[in-house]
Amino acid sequence: MNYKKEWLDYAKKFHGHICPYVALGVKASLLLLSKLNIKRASTEDTINENLLAIVECNNCFLDGVQIATGCTIGNNSLIYLDTGKNSLSIVRRSNFEGLRLYMDSDKVKSYFPKRGIELFDRVVKQRNANQEEIKEMSALWEETGYKMLEIDNSIFDIKPIKIKPIERAPIFDSLKCDNCSELVMSTKIIEQNGKHYCATCANISMPALIGRGIQTIQSLFLEV
């Protein structure tokens, strides 16, 4: 059984489509796990956050990592560093040691078909494509994605690492916002004039992970 293909098939359901970078996220994850003699984060690992994946980009690569490693934002086993690098680190919490993988995008692009790059520019960069071009790119990118699983590992630079100890996710009480009455994690409550407010009702700027990375934005929601 081709386990890389199996995980990429599953990634398609999670990510919504197959593309080169989600495939490379799967490939990179399986490579590091193999070198660390780990199959995937187990039930115990995900409950206790024993295994940590550190990803430094918020593109399609990230979803491939979440699928293949079992370390996700939701189970607090995935750490996002906003460096803008196509990089993955996997470490054991027992000693905070592991491996860091960096992927050279210039080397990767040499494997992309010219037509795929042209379509990506129109569909994703310019947002100026018709439905036929979108369908063509989707099919070509899926075909390319499966090919990415088999390319040479020389596109990756892998080094041993040790990271600073990181606490396990603490559990906080919730407090009710005095304006909208919604429960809010106590550490996120804003106190104003003796009352408790959520960040939205307090109308303060807050960090948010959007397409360009972590940005500080003012109250996102509008009245309807």
Side-chain angles (χ1 to χ4, degrees):
M1 182 181 294
N2 187 332
Y3 287 101
K4 286 185 288 188
K5 182 180 182 301
E6 182 183 12
W7 282 119
L8 187 53
D9 290 342
Y10 185 60
K12 181 178 181 178
K13 298 177 182 178
F14 178 79
H15 185 66
H17 62 269
I18 291 176
C19 60
Y21 271 70
V22 74
L24 289 164
V26 169
K27 180 180 177 68
S29 299
L30 295 178
L31 178 60
L32 284 194
L33 290 171
S34 175
K35 287 184 176 294
L36 291 167
N37 198 28
I38 302 171
K39 288 187 176 180
R40 190 174 187 263
S42 65
T43 300
E44 181 180 350
D45 288 332
T46 56
I47 290 174
N48 292 312
E49 303 165 32
N50 294 331
L51 191 68
L52 295 174
I54 304 168
V55 183
E56 301 180 39
C57 57
N58 64 316
N59 55 30
C60 304
F61 183 86
L62 171 58
D63 277 354
V65 170
Q66 292 191 98
I67 287 296
T69 63
C71 300
T72 72
I73 290 177
N75 64 29
N76 292 302
S77 296
L78 186 137
I79 297 170
Y80 172 67
L81 292 181
D82 196 19
T83 68
K85 298 179 181 180
N86 291 308
S87 176
L88 164 66
S89 301
I90 297 179
V91 301
R92 292 184 175 93
R93 187 182 289 278
S94 58
N95 56 11
F96 291 101
E97 295 179 355
L99 294 172
R100 181 178 184 268
L101 174 152
Y102 167 73
M103 185 176 73
D104 190 319
S105 295
D106 287 338
K107 292 180 181 178
V108 169
K109 287 177 183 176
S110 67
Y111 293 93
F112 292 178
K114 182 179 178 180
R115 178 59 177 165
I117 295 174
E118 292 172 353
L119 287 167
F120 181 84
D121 189 65
R122 285 184 57 78
V123 175
V124 180
K125 285 188 176 180
Q126 299 179 29
R127 308 288 182 185
N128 185 31
N130 57 43
Q131 288 300 312
E132 288 302 313
E133 289 172 321
I134 293 172
K135 288 174 61 177
E136 183 185 357
M137 191 198 80
S138 178
L140 186 54
W141 250 196
E142 180 163 330
E143 178 184 340
T144 305
Y146 282 107
K147 290 180 179 178
M148 290 294 102
L149 297 178
E150 307 305 327
I151 64 175
D152 192 84
N153 290 334
S154 61
I155 62 169
F156 301 130
D157 178 31
I158 300 174
K159 296 179 180 178
I161 58 165
K162 185 176 181 68
I163 66 169
K164 297 178 180 178
I166 296 175
E167 66 172 349
R168 287 180 167 85
I171 304 300
F172 297 104
D173 292 331
S174 295
L175 296 176
K176 187 169 289 188
C177 172
D178 286 324
N179 185 57
C180 68
S181 298
E182 293 181 351
L183 289 172
V184 184
M185 186 189 299
S186 60
T187 57
K188 304 297 182 181
I189 279 287
I190 310 300
E191 292 191 23
Q192 294 179 347
N193 300 320
K195 291 190 175 184
H196 295 152
Y197 297 100
C198 66
T200 301
C201 290
N203 196 32
I204 66 165
S205 298
M206 63 196 84
L209 177 58
I210 60 175
R212 65 176 63 247
I214 295 176
Q215 302 289 306
T216 300
I217 61 175
Q218 192 79 21
S219 187
L220 183 65
F221 301 103
L222 302 174
E223 293 185 6
V224 294

